[in-house]
């Protein structure tokens, strides 16, 4: 069973297009995230949602808009794609419990290439 | 404020020899610490995590890490490297559960 699933796995698109990446988790976690992994492999948090509410919104161009229809889904929509948006985007989910976390799980990533 | 520093961007070991990947963190509170591994063209996989229980944490695939508060370190070790261990490793720190900070990664090469 896939715990955190992202679709699509690969996405190649032209500059100026609008695209979406979907993420779903079946772990019952309350919090979901989007990370961007740049060419140097560094992961940077973009957004975090807790029970459908935006709680973290790092410095990200407003062309990026997350949407959470329910706590099991967090989609990422990108408008007017630019070459610099090419990266691997990771979705993740977590659940905080007493004494720490009972799980923090990543999806397998979506490799976005803008041409 | 919290941050994490992976001291080596690249580590190369011979197969069968020990692995040491270094990580230092800074945190105002008692943090949770994680090590993740990413194989080429694969997603991130949790190796192990520390959440204020035992300071020596055992993970999957023979990896373990020791939380040393006095040294603010959480180094990852394995007694004997295997070819399949070649990958990118990320040290992660979190205080609140809603924000996780990743190190810049350490690329491990295993030489046959």
């Amino acid at each position: 069973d896939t715990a955190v699933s992202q679709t699509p796995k690969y996405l190649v698109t032209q500059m100026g297009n609008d695209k979406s990446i979907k993420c779903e988790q079946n772990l019952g976690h309350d919090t979901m995230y989007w990370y961007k992994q740049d060419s140097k492999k560094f992961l940077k948090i973009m957004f975090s949602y807790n029970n459908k509410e935006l709680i973290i919104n790092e410095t990200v161009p407003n062309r990026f808009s997350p949407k959470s229809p329910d706590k099991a889904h967090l989609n990422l929509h990108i408008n007017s794609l630019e070459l610099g948006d090419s990266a691997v985007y990771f979705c993740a989910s977590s659940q905080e419990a007493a004494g720490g976390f009972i799980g923090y799980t990543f999806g397998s990533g979506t490799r976005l290439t803008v041409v | 404020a919290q941050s994490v520093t992976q001291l080596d961007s690249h580590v190369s070991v011979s197969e069968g020899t020990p692995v040491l990947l270094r990580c230092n963190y800074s945190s105002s509170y008692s943090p949770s610490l994680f090590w993740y591994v990413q194989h080429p063209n694969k997603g991130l996989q949790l190796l192990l995590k520390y959440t204020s229980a035992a300071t020596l944490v055992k993970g999957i695939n023979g990896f373990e890490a020791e939380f040393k508060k006095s040294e603010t370190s959480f180094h990852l070790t394995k007694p004997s490297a295997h070819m399949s261990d070649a990958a990118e490793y990320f040290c992660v720190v979190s205080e609140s559960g809603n924000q996780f900070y990743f190190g810049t990664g350490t690329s491990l090469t295993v030489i046959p």
Side-chain angles (χ1 to χ4, degrees), chain B residues 12-13 17 20 22 28 30 47 57 67 69-70 88-89 93 97 100 103-104:
Chain B
S12 184
V13 301
T17 63
L20 170 64
R22 298 183 293 168
S28 303
S30 295
L47 278 177
V57 182
F67 174 71
K69 188 174 181 179
S70 61
E88 190 87 15
Y89 291 79
V93 64
F100 293 78
T104 51

Side-chain angles (χ1 to χ4, degrees), chain A residues 57-70:
Chain A
N57 186 356
E58 294 294 314
T59 305
V60 176
N62 58 14
R63 298 181 294 103
F64 289 79
S65 54
K67 286 186 171 51
S68 183
D70 54 62

Side-chain angles (χ1 to χ4, degrees), chain B residues 30-104:
Chain B
S30 295
S32 291
L33 294 157
F34 308 78
W35 275 99
Y36 279 84
V37 60
Q38 184 180 21
H39 288 91
N41 298 317
K42 296 282 180 70
L44 288 159
Q45 181 183 18
L46 178 66
L47 278 177
L48 48 82
K49 61 182 177 182
Y50 166 78
T51 54
S52 73
T55 56
L56 182 62
V57 182
K58 293 188 184 299
I60 62 172
N61 301 336
F63 284 94
E64 62 182 37
E66 186 172 7
F67 174 71
K68 292 186 177 180
K69 188 174 181 179
S70 61
E71 299 176 9
T72 60
S73 68
F74 190 58
H75 301 333
L76 181 71
T77 60
K78 182 174 180 178
S80 177
H82 191 273
M83 294 299 295
S84 61
D85 294 329
E88 190 87 15
Y89 291 79
F90 292 91
C91 183
V92 183
V93 64
S94 178
E95 291 175 356
S96 68
N98 287 327
Q99 270 188 296
F100 293 78
Y101 290 89
F102 284 75
T104 51

